[in-house]
Amino acid sequence: KAGVTQTPRYLIKTRGQQVTLSCSPISGHRSVSWYQQTPGQGLQFLFEYFSETQRNKGNFPGRFSGRQFSNSRSEMNVSTLELGDSALYLCASSPTRMTAKNIQYFGAGTRLSVL
Amino acid sequence: EDKVVQSPLSLVVHEGDTVTLNCSYEVTNFRSLLWYKQEKKAPTFLFMLTSSGIEKKSGRLSSILDKKELFSILNITATQTGDSAVYLCAVCSDTDKLIFGTGTRLQVFP
């Protein structure tokens, strides 16, 4: 069974641009969550999508948005990029909606550098 | 505010040593605690703990949770160079979000 796939693996953008990252979950998994990982802050939860609806949200500005398609694939968009958005963006999937009993399986991430 | 703190931040050991990694937490309505290993990019799942005092074991790795004192430890015995990684602790509360610590970086030298 293929794991969680994230594309692209690396991205370089300049301030003010926007970016779209993609995540394909493990086959059969319907929940997709997004995290931002930086050296100072560690992994921080962005949002979770389940059945094409945002179910949970972290404390990030509205420049960060996402969506989920009917095949459970998800995209994350960041508009008006800032230098501080440079990070590793990780996607994780689980079979059902994220709860305390579910294990999330992570992709290898997209490394975004904002110049 | 919910918080997960891991210690030490970094650890350097020789092959064959035993290490103990710590994770303490302050969350409202704790539900579960998870350990992940992150070598290059993708964190891989190690353990999920929900009950106090029950040790989870997988090969040379083991973990236990203390819900009274609000902490968990991850033990690795007879370390190998392949154990070199960042070990992440995460806690799930009734908000159903995973709150991660900043991780412990373990380096094992031959």
Side-chain angles (χ1 to χ4, degrees):
Chain A
K1 211 178 204 184
V4 178
T5 304
Q6 291 188 245
T7 56
R9 294 294 306 276
Y10 303 92
L11 263 179
I12 300 175
K13 293 284 187 180
T14 55
R15 277 183 300 175
Q17 287 187 307
Q18 74 162 21
V19 67
T20 299
L21 313 182
S22 179
C23 173
S24 292
I26 292 171
S27 177
H29 284 196
R30 295 167 61 196
S31 167
V32 173
S33 296
W34 288 89
Y35 294 85
Q36 181 194 67
Q37 187 175 31
T38 57
Q41 299 292 322
L43 265 107
Q44 292 187 287
F45 173 75
L46 280 153
F47 27 66
E48 181 205 1
Y49 284 87
F50 178 77
S51 293
E52 302 177 63
T53 303
Q54 189 181 90
R55 298 292 182 170
N56 219 337
K57 190 173 184 307
N59 297 323
F60 278 82
R63 300 185 296 107
F64 292 82
S65 62
R67 58 178 176 167
Q68 186 180 35
F69 303 96
S70 57
N71 62 357
S72 295
R73 191 177 71 83
S74 176
E75 287 182 348
M76 189 192 98
N77 187 77
V78 188
S79 62
T80 321
L81 284 166
E82 300 177 0
L83 295 179
D85 297 332
S86 295
L88 179 67
Y89 289 88
L90 290 162
C91 163
S93 75
S94 61
T96 60
R97 186 184 165 184
M98 177 59 197
T99 68
K101 298 287 176 67
N102 287 345
I103 297 163
Q104 290 193 310
Y105 297 89
F106 284 84
T110 294
R111 170 77 60 189
L112 172 65
S113 297
V114 182
L115 306 178
Chain B
E1 187 183 329
D2 294 342
K3 191 166 64 171
V4 176
V5 178
Q6 291 186 246
S7 63
L9 289 180
S10 181
L11 200 49
V12 179
V13 301
H14 289 287
E15 271 192 320
D17 289 349
T18 293
V19 297
T20 298
L21 311 183
N22 304 293
C23 175
S24 63
Y25 61 89
E26 291 176 30
V27 297
T28 310
N29 298 324
F30 169 91
R31 302 279 291 279
S32 62
L33 184 146
L34 297 90
W35 285 97
Y36 284 86
K37 176 184 181 183
Q38 187 175 25
E39 288 180 84
K40 295 238 182 341
K41 294 285 177 67
T44 54
F45 171 76
L46 294 174
F47 299 111
M48 175 187 276
L49 302 140
T50 55
S51 302
S52 270
I54 298 174
E55 185 183 53
K56 293 276 181 96
K57 201 168 165 62
S58 176
R60 297 175 295 102
L61 277 67
S62 63
S63 183
I64 198 160
L65 173 67
D66 186 327
K67 286 164 76 173
K68 185 179 172 191
E69 299 298 330
L70 309 182
F71 78 91
S72 173
I73 60 171
L74 175 68
N75 277 321
I76 308 175
T77 59
T79 52
Q80 302 170 358
T81 54
D83 295 327
S84 296
V86 174
Y87 290 84
L88 298 166
C89 171
V91 171
C92 192
S93 69
D94 60 357
T95 61
D96 290 334
K97 297 177 192 174
L98 276 184
I99 302 146
F100 280 85
T102 51
T104 293
R105 179 174 295 280
L106 173 65
Q107 292 178 276
V108 182
F109 287 98

